[in-house]
Amino acid sequence: MKSILWFTVGVAAGFVAAHQVNKTQQGQEFFATVDARAKEFGKAVADGYHARESELRAMVDDVMSNAKDAADDVAEQVADAAEDVAEAAKDAKS
């Protein structure tokens, strides 16, 4: 409980100090620089996320395409095998 109190006091003191610093021209420039860098960092993170998402989507599309091709091949082989069995049965009957 004591640590929560000290944390709250620290946060409040930080806000008061930031407000006082922001009243000066240098403080405003400092916070503008911090804000610009934070936005730049956020944009870089978002761009990286979107690039990785695109890579993963391309991989999934490739895997799904390969799986579909493999399923089509298996279906074709099964159909061919069924035809062979039908012909063998027809030949055995005659």
Side-chain angles (χ1 to χ4, degrees), residues 50-93:
H50 292 302
R52 184 63 177 150
E53 181 183 27
S54 295
E55 290 174 11
L56 292 175
R57 285 187 187 274
M59 288 171 133
V60 168
D61 290 345
D62 188 41
V63 167
M64 294 302 291
S65 175
N66 289 341
K68 184 183 179 310
D69 291 345
D72 290 345
D73 289 346
V74 168
E76 186 177 325
Q77 290 174 359
V78 168
D80 290 345
E83 286 178 17
D84 292 346
V85 168
E87 285 181 29
K90 189 179 192 182
D91 290 343
K93 186 177 180 183

Side-chain angles (χ1 to χ4, degrees), residues 22-53:
N22 196 35
K23 287 183 179 180
T24 67
Q25 182 64 30
Q26 290 174 327
Q28 290 174 357
E29 290 172 4
F30 170 75
F31 284 122
T33 302
V34 168
D35 185 52
R37 287 182 181 170
K39 285 181 181 178
E40 183 180 320
F41 176 75
K43 186 179 179 323
V45 169
D47 289 347
Y49 173 82
H50 292 302
R52 184 63 177 150
E53 181 183 27

